[in-house]
Amino acid sequence: MQTISNIEELKNEIRLAEKRQSLSEKLLKEQLLITFDALKPGNLIMSTISEVATGQNLIKLVAGTAIGLTTGYVSNRIITGTSASLLRKIFVGILQFGATRFFSRKTNAIDFYGRSKPQYLSDKNTH
């Protein structure tokens, strides 16, 4: 910062400081209005829904659930076949529920395995 040597320079610096302060106040008020608008309950809900709907978590959740349901259905068909006793149907229902729950919670491991396995196979084939 320069040294002020006369009254005219002092008045000029004061005017510049007042303009900077006025601009800072204006920007602060605008940001405050933006923040208040973003914190309205309706806007919070909408932004949360849009983040969830477009995020990778939703895709992983749907994929994990689909894999779990498919696994449960296939295990049901393998064990019971076309007809089964009541006890076997109950056992298969519990098994299907467990398989669905297990695979729907292991989406990260399934995703990692699914991405790494083709690369592993192609690496083995090249050697």
Side-chain angles (χ1 to χ4, degrees), residues 12-57:
N12 197 19
E13 283 297 318
I14 290 172
R15 274 193 295 267
L16 288 173
E18 287 173 344
K19 285 182 181 180
R20 282 192 299 262
Q21 182 182 7
S22 175
L23 181 63
S24 293
E25 284 177 8
K26 183 180 176 184
L27 291 173
L28 182 63
K29 286 178 184 178
E30 288 176 5
Q31 186 60 46
L32 190 62
L33 290 175
I34 291 169
T35 303
F36 279 142
D37 189 52
L39 292 176
K40 289 180 181 176
N43 291 339
L44 283 174
I45 292 170
M46 291 303 294
S47 67
T48 303
I49 289 172
S50 66
E51 285 177 18
V52 168
T54 59
Q56 288 291 337
N57 290 336

